[in-house]
């Protein structure tokens, strides 16, 4: 898929999916992904970031990332709502 092609993720993660009906009968969903020391590389910046931890949330409003990662003690925090 598009996300895999753009970020080339590798590693383990815990994933939780919640689907609940709303009052109008349409489903509401929330997906939480907690990377466990994973790695990724954005196609536009081909530097692989290792030891990624944090939270990725997906819901009808979009995707948010709150992640840290880095090598050799360096770390970066990214908070993005897309």
């Amino acid at each position: 898929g598009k996300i895999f092609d753009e970020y080339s993720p590798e590693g383990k993660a815990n994933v939780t999916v919640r689907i609940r009906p709303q009052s109008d009968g349409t489903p509401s969903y929330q997906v939480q992904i907690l990377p466990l020391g994973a790695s990724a590389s954005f196609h536009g910046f081909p530097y692989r970031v290792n030891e990624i931890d944090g939270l990725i949330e997906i819901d009808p409003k979009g995707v948010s990332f709150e992640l840290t990662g880095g090598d050799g003690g360096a770390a970066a925090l990214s908070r993005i709502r897309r």
Side-chain angles (χ1 to χ4, degrees), residues 15-20 27-33 55-60:
V15 178
T16 303
V17 178
R18 292 183 179 93
I19 301 172
R20 295 189 175 115
S28 174
Y29 65 90
Q30 180 185 40
V31 179
Q32 292 184 327
I33 303 168
L55 174 65
I56 302 167
E57 289 188 311
I58 305 165
D59 60 32

Side-chain angles (χ1 to χ4, degrees), residues 10 15 17 25 32 35 37 42 50-51 66 68 73 76 81:
E10 294 179 1
V15 178
V17 178
Q32 292 184 327
F42 182 64
N50 296 308
E51 300 303 320
E66 190 167 324
T68 60
R81 183 74 175 172

Side-chain angles (χ1 to χ4, degrees), residues 39-73:
S39 69
S41 171
F42 182 64
H43 71 92
F45 183 72
Y47 171 76
R48 182 155 289 277
V49 177
N50 296 308
E51 300 303 320
I52 297 173
D53 292 297
L55 174 65
I56 302 167
E57 289 188 311
I58 305 165
D59 60 32
K61 296 177 186 175
V63 179
S64 67
F65 302 84
E66 190 167 324
L67 303 170
T68 60
D71 293 320

